[in-house]
Amino acid sequence: MDLLHSNGVLIIQHLQRDYRAYQDFLNFMSHVGDPRNIFSVYFPLWFQLNQVVGTKMIWVAVIGDWFNLIFKWILFGHRPYWWVQETMIYPNQSSPCLEQFPITCETGPGSPSGHAMGSSCVWYVMVTAALSYTVRWKDKSAVTLHRLTWSFLWSIFWIIQISVCISRVFIATHFPHQVVLGVFAGILVAEAFEHTPAIQTASLRMYIKTNLFLFIFALGFYLSLKLLDIDLLWSVPKAKKWCANPDWINIDTTPFAGLVRNLGALFGLGLGINSEMFITSCKGKNSCKISFRILCIAASLATLQLYNFVKIPTHTEYLFYILSFCKSAAMPLTVVALVPYCVHLLMRTTEKKLN
């Protein structure tokens, strides 16, 4: 692994030295790949356009990130910004100098990359969903258009994935092999859900059972290894020790923070999609109207941006996890049930006045 890591450091140095002019773009692409955007941007858009795709997107994101956590605990992947400080392969303590950024100091293990995995799985869902509309075209000109669309969308997919991967390597938070592994792991998870139609008809009980299984398995795995004197949170002290600025350390990047956030999102989806508000609004006559969907998209995106202003206290770790779960559950619940129901009531009131 030392050879793989040392070659990765050379690539990071090359990117930081020769592509500094693209720093703003690369930082932006790192934010594009942030798994949290799935719940606050991609999901609100797609759920109102196609509820099947929106539902699949949440499941893929949650299960993908859960597998990412388990893989990270198994693989014990180092991150470049602390590895160069602790490795013994460089003579006379002449370790390479890697620049750090405000988004560099993630506290979890590094392999596979969560950003690369989250980005590839959700974009895979979006691209395959868009192509499913064109595959039905039968005439010759439509087939040609489908092929052009296929080439265009998959080109966009790979451009985005490569850009996200380069950005994560540039900021020295991942080695190249970690982002490559993340991309292909994300694609595998997304492809698996292409053949899992049962999630579309899952009851609230099924959502709760899935949440409990994911939590109990992850916690049991953590405690089992802890009994064997293996600390799965070994990366947190390293991040705190070698991060250039202590203010860049964020509890939101710890392994259990991501787990709680995802479980909250899945629970919120299950609660919303099995609620009377969802059935009344999204299964009613207004659900077919373009105006209804546009209003839902706009209101959902605007409302979810307000959630960003809700700052969760971090001084007590357990309180942080509980509030993080509640906040994450509220986001899909807002998109699936609360906003559509309010829009439904507004449109019904307007129709009554007109009549």
Side-chain angles (χ1 to χ4, degrees), residues 23-98:
Q23 178 181 330
D24 291 339
F25 170 75
L26 292 173
N27 284 336
F28 169 74
M29 290 309 301
S30 198
H31 287 295
V32 168
D34 192 331
R36 286 170 290 195
N37 288 331
I38 298 171
F39 308 116
S40 61
V41 179
Y42 304 133
F43 171 67
L45 283 170
W46 274 97
F47 188 82
Q48 305 303 343
L49 295 174
N50 188 316
Q51 291 168 11
V52 172
V53 177
T55 302
K56 186 194 300 180
M57 187 176 289
I58 291 291
W59 276 90
V60 167
V62 170
I63 301 301
D65 210 46
W66 183 82
F67 273 115
N68 182 265
L69 172 64
I70 301 300
F71 287 152
K72 282 181 173 178
W73 279 349
I74 293 172
L75 296 176
F76 286 84
H78 291 276
R79 292 186 184 271
Y81 73 92
W82 77 57
W83 181 84
V84 294
Q85 303 292 341
E86 298 194 338
T87 183
M88 303 299 292
I89 70 168
Y90 297 108
N92 302 322
Q93 297 181 337
S94 58
S95 58
C97 180
L98 298 181

Side-chain angles (χ1 to χ4, degrees), residues 303-315:
T303 305
L304 292 186
Q305 296 313 306
L306 296 177
Y307 280 98
N308 293 331
F309 294 103
V310 179
K311 300 301 180 183
I312 299 176
T314 58
H315 57 274

